[in-house]
């Protein structure tokens, strides 16, 4: 029995009668989980085949509608907390706290170099340590919850390369120092080994992707992996692919996937915290409720189900800075709940058999 009062869980008990006068919702043989957490989404992207052009064609009002619609898809799919690691011009910030939408942790537009990865989102900064400090300051004054920096190039942006760093080591350190002075954590999008090494040296609080992408294939440097593990750094593994038969991954990426997966498990064995930061929104295989697939697929790849489920709930919440009120079914925690048929510990595909979703106490379905 989970007793809710407004937005909170006020008691969790087994084998007791409910108090007099409460409304009883009997979910019968369902398994009750904490609502899922996705630590890396882009609500502003609509997971269409031409998402960059589609976004480009939207004015800010249209983009705001797309953000709300994406957030609603997440909520209905059992995702009750998301960390948005890149919107356009801070459009996601005013949506935080809206009823019927997941709890949203916002980075605003990712900080990137002129013409750099995802520059079209409006987060370009001039070069140099003073300029990047100002960029962090601007983000803080707009009210972001976390700083996202594009330490390397990326897939979505022609003219940038995954293997290449965007910022100097000094610039990255300035970004992290300024953010920490302002009380904000920093997570770095970093594919190539040099960008990962510089981000580590700068003292980032987490890494996104961390694929060790090289011009030829994928690297797997023992010393860097050991250091990430020793720091217990959170790694947003870009796991989770929903069926999208009309939009296969490009060949260059597909060929690298086995080695990227091997690195995820090496990082975990070394001590890193692996969370499914799915990059929801960036591809037709990445709808905004894709994190259920991440859990299922991580288990298929060999992660114990309880580890994968914790990654998508309590550990994800911790990474979002919400570990004290999200990701657990416990007294005092937010009433974010997912009820599914079957037992996801025995068969993680049970996560798709959704019977009910509660969002801060409100039943969504
Ligand atoms: Zn991303």
């Amino acid at each position: 029995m989970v007793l809710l009062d407004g937005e909170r869980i006020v008691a969790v008990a087994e084998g007791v009668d409910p108090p007099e006068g409460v409304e009883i919702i009997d979910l019968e043989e369902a398994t009750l989980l904490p609502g899922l957490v996705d630590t890396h989404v882009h609500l502003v992207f609509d997971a269409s085949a031409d998402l960059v052009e589609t976004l480009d064609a939207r004015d800010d009002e249209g983009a705001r509608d797309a953000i709300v619609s994406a957030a609603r898809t997440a909520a209905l799919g059992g995702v009750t907390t998301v960390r948005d690691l890149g919107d356009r011009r801070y459009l996601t910030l005013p949506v935080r706290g809206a009823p019927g939408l997941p709890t949203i942790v916002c980075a605003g537009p990712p900080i990137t170099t002129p013409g750099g990865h995802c520059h079209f989102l409006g987060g370009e900064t001039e070069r140099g340590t003073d300029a990047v400090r100002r960029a962090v300051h601007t983000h803080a004054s707009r009210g972001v919850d976390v700083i996202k920096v594009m330490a390397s190039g990326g897939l979505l942006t022609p003219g940038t390369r995954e293997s290449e760093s965007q910022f100097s080591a000094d610039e990255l350190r300035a970004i992290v120092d300024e953010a920490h002075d302002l009380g904000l954590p920093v997570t770095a999008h970093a594919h190539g080994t040099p960008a990962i090494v510089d981000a580590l040296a700068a003292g980032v609080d987490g890494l996104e992707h961390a694929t060790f992408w090289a011009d030829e294939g994928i690297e797997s440097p023992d010393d860097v992996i050991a250091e990430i593990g020793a720091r217990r750094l959170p790694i947003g593994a870009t796991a989770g692919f929903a069926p999208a038969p009309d939009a296969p991954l490009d060949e260059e990426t597909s060929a690298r996937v086995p080695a990227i997966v091997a690195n995820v498990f090496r990082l975990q064995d070394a001590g890193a915290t692996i969370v499914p930061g799915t990059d929801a929104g960036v591809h037709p295989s990445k709808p905004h409720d894709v994190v259920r697939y991440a859990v299922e697929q991580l288990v298929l790849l060999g992660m114990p189900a309880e580890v994968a489920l914790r990654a998508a709930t309590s550990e994800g919440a911790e990474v979002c800075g919400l570990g004290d009120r999200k990701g657990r079914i416990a007294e005092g925690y937010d009433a974010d709940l997912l009820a599914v048929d079957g037992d996801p510990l025995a068969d993680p595909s049970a996560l798709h058999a959704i019977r009910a979703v509660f969002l801060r106490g409100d039943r969504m379905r």
Side-chain angles (χ1 to χ4, degrees):
M1 183 189 73
V2 179
L3 193 61
L4 312 183
D5 184 5
E7 296 193 353
R8 298 266 182 284
I9 297 168
V10 292
V12 181
E14 235 176 302
V16 295
D17 290 325
E20 291 282 317
V22 299
E23 180 197 354
I24 295 168
I25 300 167
D26 186 356
L27 296 170
E28 296 167 2
E29 293 299 305
T31 301
L32 197 60
L33 302 94
L36 302 175
V37 178
D38 193 335
T39 59
H40 184 155
V41 308
H42 298 276
L43 295 171
V44 80
F45 290 140
D46 66 359
S48 63
D50 52 359
L51 55 101
V52 174
E53 295 78 6
T54 305
L55 176 58
D56 205 40
R58 285 184 169 130
D59 60 11
D60 283 355
E61 200 184 317
R64 183 79 51 77
D65 290 345
I67 287 167
V68 169
S69 158
R72 201 165 165 78
T73 299
L76 291 172
V79 187
T80 53
T81 301
V82 297
R83 186 170 65 160
D84 189 282
L85 291 184
D87 68 6
R88 189 178 77 186
R89 294 197 291 274
Y90 304 96
L91 287 173
T92 305
L93 275 65
V95 179
R96 284 178 296 194
L101 302 185
T103 298
I104 306 171
V105 176
C106 291
I111 295 179
T112 195
T113 49
H117 182 43
C118 286
H119 61 89
F120 48 84
L121 294 176
E124 283 173 309
T125 168
E126 295 298 313
R127 301 300 302 265
T129 53
D130 289 343
V132 299
R133 279 180 184 274
R134 280 198 301 276
V136 172
H137 208 271
T138 301
H139 278 67
S141 65
R142 294 297 292 260
V144 302
D145 305 301
V146 55
I147 295 293
K148 162 84 173 298
V149 58
M150 298 302 203
S152 76
L155 283 165
L156 279 181
T157 316
T160 78
R161 284 164 71 155
E162 290 84 346
S163 55
E164 279 176 10
S165 300
Q166 298 205 132
F167 289 101
S168 71
D170 285 346
E171 287 168 329
L172 281 181
R173 189 168 308 116
I175 287 169
V176 174
D177 286 351
E178 187 71 23
H180 287 176
D181 280 352
L182 295 164
L184 293 172
V186 179
T187 194
H189 159 110
H191 280 290
T193 305
I196 292 171
V197 167
D198 287 348
L200 279 177
V204 295
D205 303 284
L207 293 169
E208 306 304 315
H209 315 301
T211 55
F212 297 95
W213 191 293
D215 284 335
E216 302 290 331
I218 294 294
E219 296 171 345
S220 191
D222 293 336
D223 53 338
V224 183
I225 287 174
E227 183 174 350
I228 293 171
R231 290 203 209 172
R232 300 274 180 264
L233 211 62
I235 303 292
T238 320
F241 296 88
D246 297 334
L249 285 186
D250 68 88
E251 237 169 82
E252 258 206 282
T253 305
S254 303
R256 285 172 166 87
V257 165
I260 293 171
V261 169
N263 276 346
V264 167
F265 283 92
R266 286 199 69 198
L267 285 161
Q268 185 166 52
D269 289 343
T273 302
I274 305 296
V275 288
T278 64
D279 231 349
V282 302
H283 188 266
S285 66
K286 297 283 190 181
H288 283 279
D289 57 351
V290 71
V291 72
R292 297 194 312 272
Y293 289 94
V295 174
E296 187 184 0
Q297 288 155 11
L298 286 169
V299 173
L300 282 175
L301 291 165
M303 191 177 283
E306 63 183 82
V307 175
L309 284 164
R310 267 205 301 267
T313 53
S314 53
E315 282 177 347
E318 201 73 53
V319 169
C320 291
L322 298 171
D324 59 342
R325 64 183 181 95
K326 302 280 188 190
R328 292 173 199 274
I329 303 177
E331 185 187 335
Y333 276 63
D334 286 0
D336 292 338
L337 301 167
L338 167 63
V340 299
D341 291 329
D343 177 6
L345 281 173
D347 173 12
S349 73
L351 287 179
H352 303 303
I354 298 176
R355 186 178 289 198
V357 176
F358 292 82
L359 199 61
R360 301 188 298 278
D362 284 336
R363 187 165 185 175
M364 301 298 295
R365 61 182 275 188

